Amino acid sequence: LDDADVSETEMQYLYQDGGDYWFMDTETYDQMFLTQSQLGEARNFLLDSALVSVTFHNGAPIGVTPPTFIEVGITATEASIKGATKDGASKPATIETGHTITVPMFVEQGDVIRVDTRTGTYVERIRK
């Protein structure tokens, strides 16, 4: 059996153009794009200029790993209901990448939160 030619390269996410997501190698400055299907769920957590790990097999990209935690703003969510925080209630919220996650009732539009990209879950609200 031949050894698999698998490597990881740190790349910076640049921008999205239609269904293509553009990345730049942080050492060589070479640019490449990946499609939505190649990115999978990782596309839900790509912030401009974020550093990601791109896995290559025989020179072809096969996966992207975003940072484990990201700090991201809430762009849309329902208004909080007084007293709803006592029972651990939650609500949907759209983060600045366009992805929707579940957050506690006290989180409001404009808040910055930490999200675990491995599970896509809310971790905490960031106070700045």
Side-chain angles (χ1 to χ4, degrees), residues 2-38:
D2 293 332
D3 289 337
D5 179 19
V6 178
S7 63
E8 288 193 9
T9 301
E10 182 179 74
M11 300 189 91
Q12 182 178 28
Y13 172 63
L14 299 175
Y15 62 93
Q16 178 186 359
D17 182 19
D20 298 333
Y21 294 76
W22 286 85
F23 297 86
M24 178 182 66
D25 186 311
T26 57
E27 290 184 16
T28 65
Y29 303 108
D30 291 337
Q31 294 183 15
M32 58 171 258
F33 71 88
L34 296 170
T35 64
Q36 288 180 1
S37 62
Q38 288 174 305

Side-chain angles (χ1 to χ4, degrees), residues 97-109:
T97 64
H99 185 60
T100 301
I101 65 169
T102 302
V103 298
M105 291 299 288
F106 61 82
V107 174
E108 298 179 359
Q109 184 173 331

Side-chain angles (χ1 to χ4, degrees), residues 57-112:
H57 178 257
N58 293 332
I62 60 170
V64 171
T65 304
T68 304
F69 298 98
I70 59 170
E71 292 183 7
V72 62
I74 300 291
T75 58
T77 192
E78 302 169 4
S80 298
I81 301 171
K82 270 196 178 223
T85 57
K86 293 178 184 172
D87 62 3
S90 59
K91 62 184 179 179
T94 304
I95 59 176
E96 60 188 271
T97 64
H99 185 60
T100 301
I101 65 169
T102 302
V103 298
M105 291 299 288
F106 61 82
V107 174
E108 298 179 359
Q109 184 173 331
D111 284 350
V112 176

